């Protein structure tokens, strides 16, 4: 009923075409994936994306001196840095999602009234972070434009998040971006707090 069409046209399409349309951020493809498929990879995709993000941050911490001695304490300290980066990335993503949910709940209190609506929104947000998988080729093909690539990947993830919110809650284009903006504010607040804590 949300798309006002008699049938979902993507039922007849090949999964590859559906995936390409989802990468192109088409609302109908998101609607098909969220409502008409039984995808249960939300948690695995989230963990994998967080691992990619933690690896990028961990690489930025690394210095040029690499030790190959297995008994080297510095090597183990660097491993703990990776786990710390994973925790920070998880905390930032959680605060981003909380900012989005709080904003949507405050702007339209009746929208997330049922538990199923909340779970569907959370699944949509988790699925829409698939753009973070592009961090893998950014690391593999490291070049001088890596910061620019990371900025474009972040923008792509935000656009995907906007489409997921829009499709899930059947909203116009403005409210999802408003929620994303407040999610980014909360995420940056957590980043500042973590930097002050050291």
């Amino acid at each position: 009923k949300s798309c006002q069409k008699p049938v979902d046209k993507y039922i007849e399409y090949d999964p590859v075409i559906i995936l390409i349309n989802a990468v192109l951020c088409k609302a109908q493809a998101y609607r098909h994936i969220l409502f008409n498929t039984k995808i249960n990879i939300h948690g695995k995709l989230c963990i994998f994306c967080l691992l990619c993000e933690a690896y990028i941050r961990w690489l930025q911490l690394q210095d040029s001196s690499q030790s190959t001695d297995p008994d080297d304490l510095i090597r183990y300290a660097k491993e703990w840095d990776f786990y710390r980066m994973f925790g920070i990335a998880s905390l930032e993503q959680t605060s981003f999602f909380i900012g989005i949910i709080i904003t949507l709940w405050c702007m339209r209190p009746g929208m997330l009234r049922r538990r199923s609506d909340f779970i569907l929104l959370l699944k949509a947000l988790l699925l829409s972070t698939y753009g973070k998988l592009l961090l893998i080729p950014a690391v593999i093909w490291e070049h001088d434009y890596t910061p620019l690539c990371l900025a474009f990947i972040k923008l792509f993830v935000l656009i995907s998040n906007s489409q997921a919110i829009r499709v899930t809650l059947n909203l116009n284009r403005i409210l999802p971006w408003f929620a994303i903006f407040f999610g980014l504010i909360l995420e940056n607040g957590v980043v500042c707090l973590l930097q002050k804590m050291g």
Side-chain angles (χ1 to χ4, degrees), residues 87-187:
I88 290 171
S90 302
L91 189 61
E92 287 176 9
Q93 184 167 344
T94 302
S95 61
F96 176 68
F97 288 165
I98 288 172
I100 288 174
I101 291 168
I102 288 173
T103 304
L104 291 172
W105 188 75
C106 289
M107 297 296 287
R108 296 216 180 143
M111 201 168 7
L112 296 172
R113 210 172 348 171
R114 294 177 295 172
R115 185 171 185 254
S116 61
D117 294 336
F118 173 76
I119 290 172
L120 182 65
L121 176 63
L122 191 58
K123 285 181 179 181
L125 286 171
L126 290 173
L127 278 176
S128 65
T129 59
Y130 70 92
K132 289 183 181 179
L133 296 177
L134 294 171
L135 293 171
I136 297 170
V139 170
I140 293 171
W141 301 326
E142 60 181 74
H143 49 72
D144 297 337
Y145 304 112
T146 301
L148 184 63
C149 289
L150 297 178
F152 278 129
I153 290 169
K154 179 75 172 176
L155 180 65
F156 179 73
V157 169
L158 292 177
I159 291 170
S160 298
N161 288 336
S162 169
Q163 282 292 71
I165 295 168
R166 192 173 146 232
V167 165
T168 305
L169 300 175
N170 200 18
L171 299 171
N172 60 10
R173 293 178 190 266
I174 296 170
L175 190 56
W177 279 108
F178 197 66
I180 286 172
F181 176 73
F182 279 103
L184 286 172
I185 288 174
L186 187 60
E187 179 184 354

Side-chain angles (χ1 to χ4, degrees), residues 28-141:
Q28 287 180 321
Y30 274 88
R31 203 172 282 120
H32 173 77
I33 291 169
L34 291 172
F35 295 114
N36 296 332
T37 58
K38 301 289 182 195
I39 295 179
N40 290 324
I41 60 166
H42 309 93
K44 293 175 187 173
L45 181 66
C46 176
I47 296 294
F48 192 69
C49 289
L50 287 173
L51 285 171
C52 292
E53 193 167 338
Y55 183 72
I56 290 286
R57 293 174 183 206
W58 183 65
L59 275 181
Q60 292 171 349
L61 284 179
Q62 298 295 314
D63 57 358
S64 59
S65 61
Q66 296 289 330
S67 175
T68 57
D69 183 13
D71 295 329
D72 189 9
L73 290 176
I74 295 174
R75 187 171 144 227
Y76 292 113
K78 289 180 181 180
E79 183 179 333
W80 281 107
D81 281 341
F82 175 76
Y83 298 134
R84 186 171 56 92
M85 291 297 117
F86 180 80
I88 290 171
S90 302
L91 189 61
E92 287 176 9
Q93 184 167 344
T94 302
S95 61
F96 176 68
F97 288 165
I98 288 172
I100 288 174
I101 291 168
I102 288 173
T103 304
L104 291 172
W105 188 75
C106 289
M107 297 296 287
R108 296 216 180 143
M111 201 168 7
L112 296 172
R113 210 172 348 171
R114 294 177 295 172
R115 185 171 185 254
S116 61
D117 294 336
F118 173 76
I119 290 172
L120 182 65
L121 176 63
L122 191 58
K123 285 181 179 181
L125 286 171
L126 290 173
L127 278 176
S128 65
T129 59
Y130 70 92
K132 289 183 181 179
L133 296 177
L134 294 171
L135 293 171
I136 297 170
V139 170
I140 293 171
W141 301 326

